[in-house]
Amino acid sequence: MDQSSIDALAAAPVGPQGLFIGGKTVLATGSATLPVTSPIDGRVLTLIADASAVDVDLAVASARAAFDSGVWSRAAPAERKKVLHRIADAIEREALALAVLGVRDNGTEISMAIKAEPGSAAGTFRYYAEALDKVVGEIAPTAPNVLGLVHREPVGVVGAIVPWNFPLMIGAWKIAPALAAGNSVVLKPSEIASLTLLRLAEICAECGLPDGVLNVVTGMGAVSGEALGLHADVDVLVFTGSGGVGRRLLEYSARSNLKRVYLELGGKSPNVVFADAPDLRQAAKVSAAGIFRNSGQVCVAGSRLLVERSVHEEFAAMVAEEARKMKVGNPLDLTTQAGAISSEMQLARVQGFVDKAHEEGGALLAGGARILSETGGSYFAPTVFDHVTPDMTLSREEVFGPVLAVTPFDTEEDAVRMANGTEYGLSSAVWTSNLSRAHRMVGAINAGLVHVNTYGGADNTVPLGGHRQSGNGHDKSLHALDKYVNLKTAWIQL
Ligand code: NAD
């Protein structure tokens, strides 16, 4: 990866996009479109199709027809495996172009996007290609005159709704296991970042995925997302995004066909630093990266830093120094460490949280304001507030931006109470040299992920899912496959 190849790819115009239904790119009803604004410079990059409920109907019908035909759902696992491997290969071949397209769409710095987007998506397709013929049914331990067989069957049509922060990575977390299990999929990307997922659908078709097995409907969440959520012929809904929309999906299910709903939601993840952390300087660097990479637009971001009082002042100063040193700017520059905020709306939201933190008595140590407005893009300085008490808004609500709340604690019990003191339970970390304490903290923190002496970097071999209001179900690992299968018992009298 070199800067000149990135620059060449970034100079290419991006043509208007359609929907991807039945293996073809098609216009939305009435040719409705939405502009795509790049957060790099605030300019319109291209147009995407704005799907209506009628378009969603067509996409679901196409997915259902493909499923019922058996062309994929009843294909030999070895055949499905070949296609998923080909998709992984193709993503790898096109990795830089995909990464650049995604960065132009959502503003993630390219150094992170290349690994987190095509890198991760290729790995996910490969993981489920390998997994699909190793997950087997069961023969139950019944009485000898009965045979109890437990079959695992694809569920049918999966509706997948994903956010803008890592569209390709999160899209692959849903699409790859759903396809591996034999389902058909209708994917609804975020209206803020759809481009890489539209290209992924074409790649899948080029690699031999039969028509109709993967369909993509772009457009507004409140229209096409709602239509997908309410659709009576969607069997499972998988979602990554905000808690507010997650709640709506549960309602859609209740109001329609009681489809299963799996939610990966937000977090306010605690990063707990004890005075006996192995290396405070290193902990400060990793903690800063754990909140400021992708400008904090990371579901598992360590947005609450809880620090043992004896090292609190020193550690807060180190993290603030890391924040000030961070290179924020054009996300297409290979040396940039934090790119743009995905949209002006999101930037205004971040500013709102900063204003509130000032009002409520937080002590600003770094950042606190919009920067680089002369570029026309949406950039915000990595921001650190100290002395944020647990009742303040910044301790309780997810910003989804580059804003860190620092709070001192006195005892391990205090740390656990504070760590568990929000409605969320997505990610967390503990920094300590004391092995017993590390294990105690892993047990005591109520979250789907507890890092010890690091932050971030978990791979496909382990599940990611939230506790409490951070969601239900899991992406990644063999556990994710459970969302995409029905168990069926055959009870056979011998
Ligand atoms: P969002 O909830 O606004 O949107 C997510 C998706 O839902 C988009 O595709 C959107 O179009 C769609 N949508 C919006 N309104 C809808 C409606 N009424 N009906 C159906 N669909 C609708 O989330 P976002 O702003 O795109 O992403 C940020 C959120 O995602 C944060 O809360 C973040 O923590 C969360 N997130 C969680 C994870 C995880 O793995 N737990 C990962 C990434 C992001």
Side-chain angles (χ1 to χ4, degrees):
M1 182 170 60
D2 59 82
Q3 192 61 52
S4 56
S5 330
I6 293 169
D7 295 345
L9 286 162
V14 182
Q17 308 285 306
L19 309 173
F20 195 82
I21 299 179
K24 289 194 297 286
T25 298
V26 296
L27 295 175
T29 315
S31 306
T33 58
L34 290 172
V36 176
T37 303
S38 176
I40 297 178
D41 54 12
R43 296 208 187 137
V44 173
L45 183 58
T46 188
L47 301 173
I48 54 169
D50 188 9
S52 68
V54 174
D55 299 311
V56 171
D57 258 345
L58 292 172
V60 174
S62 148
R64 175 60 61 191
F67 184 79
D68 288 348
S69 77
V71 62
W72 183 254
S73 54
R74 290 194 294 277
E79 286 306 308
R80 295 209 294 261
K81 175 194 285 259
K82 267 191 223 153
V83 173
L84 296 191
H85 269 305
R86 282 205 291 268
I87 295 170
D89 293 341
I91 295 171
E92 276 167 1
R93 276 197 305 275
E94 222 177 278
L96 191 60
L98 281 165
V100 170
L101 183 64
V103 169
R104 295 169 80 188
D105 206 4
N106 77 349
T108 301
E109 59 277 6
I110 187 86
S111 56
M112 180 175 220
I114 189 79
K115 292 189 207 121
E117 287 279 89
S120 157
T124 301
F125 273 92
R126 217 174 278 300
Y127 180 87
Y128 290 105
E130 284 301 333
L132 67 82
D133 55 1
K134 295 173 189 67
V135 180
V136 296
E138 296 161 23
I139 301 176
T142 55
N145 62 335
V146 171
L147 182 59
L149 302 179
V150 184
H151 296 263
R152 293 167 69 89
E153 297 183 338
V155 182
V157 175
V158 172
I161 303 181
V162 297
W164 42 259
N165 59 336
F166 294 104
L168 208 48
M169 174 175 83
I170 295 172
W173 286 350
K174 316 291 188 200
I175 300 166
L179 295 183
N183 298 282
S184 294
V185 177
V186 178
L187 175 75
K188 154 71 183 82
S190 165
E191 54 276 27
I192 295 174
S194 302
L195 301 179
T196 51
L197 287 169
L198 287 164
R199 177 63 197 134
L200 176 65
E202 289 173 355
I203 289 175
C204 290
E206 289 158 15
C207 291
L209 189 72
D211 292 350
V213 176
L214 172 62
N215 307 272
V216 183
V217 285
T218 54
M220 296 306 292
V223 180
S224 45
E226 176 171 304
L228 191 60
L230 282 170
H231 207 290
D233 210 18
V234 170
D235 300 294
V236 176
L237 208 50
V238 289
F239 173 73
T240 296
S242 61
V245 176
R247 279 189 160 75
R248 282 174 187 259
L249 300 194
L250 292 169
E251 281 174 32
Y252 298 156
S253 168
R255 281 164 51 198
S256 56
N257 60 345
L258 295 178
K259 56 179 74 67
R260 279 160 33 191
V261 179
Y262 296 101
L263 306 173
E264 302 285 337
L265 307 175
K268 190 77 209 180
S269 299
N271 181 15
V272 184
V273 179
F274 287 93
D276 66 355
D279 176 346
L280 282 178
R281 176 58 66 183
Q282 175 64 9
K285 272 191 203 315
V286 176
S287 298
I291 174 67
F292 298 130
R293 293 303 303 269
N294 201 17
S295 293
Q297 301 162 110
V298 178
C299 57
V300 294
S303 54
R304 286 188 296 144
L305 184 60
L306 309 179
V307 190
E308 192 164 2
R309 199 175 297 278
S310 59
V311 293
H312 156 247
E313 295 287 335
E314 177 195 0
F315 194 77
M318 282 185 200
V319 173
E321 188 189 329
E322 294 295 334
R324 282 189 292 268
K325 276 195 329 214
M326 200 126 199
K327 186 173 174 203
V328 183
N330 186 340
L332 288 163
D333 181 333
L334 266 171
T335 62
T336 292
Q337 293 171 298
I341 304 285
S342 63
S343 67
E344 278 299 300
M345 206 172 73
Q346 185 63 14
L347 190 138
R349 197 178 129 81
V350 172
Q351 186 65 62
F353 276 104
V354 167
D355 296 345
K356 192 96 180 160
H358 280 299
E359 272 167 39
E360 293 182 349
L364 184 69
L365 296 188
R370 177 182 199 139
I371 52 172
L372 302 170
S373 31
E374 68 282 5
T375 62
S378 313
Y379 300 92
F380 205 90
T383 297
V384 181
F385 277 98
D386 197 2
H387 299 290
V388 179
T389 54
D391 56 319
M392 283 170 56
T393 308
L394 204 55
S395 283
R396 291 182 289 105
E397 293 184 22
E398 182 185 49
V399 178
F400 219 57
V403 185
L404 178 65
V406 185
T407 310
F409 68 84
D410 291 300
T411 64
E412 190 176 311
E413 293 68 36
D414 283 347
V416 170
R417 193 172 35 76
M418 287 182 191
N420 290 338
T422 71
E423 66 194 30
Y424 294 111
L426 188 55
S427 178
S428 61
V430 181
W431 298 79
T432 178
S433 303
N434 179 329
L435 186 62
S436 304
R437 170 184 275 159
H439 283 290
R440 277 197 305 273
M441 292 297 287
V442 169
I445 292 181
N446 194 355
L449 171 60
V450 187
H451 302 86
V452 177
N453 295 334
T454 188
Y455 207 102
D459 68 15
N460 263 315
T461 57
V462 289
L464 175 67
H467 291 189
R468 297 188 287 184
Q469 292 189 38
S470 288
N472 59 1
H474 294 94
D475 282 328
K476 309 200 296 175
S477 83
L478 296 182
H479 296 285
L481 287 167
D482 292 344
K483 297 192 289 194
Y484 304 104
V485 295
N486 275 332
L487 297 183
K488 179 188 278 175
T489 297
W491 186 256
I492 302 168
Q493 189 69 50
L494 299 178

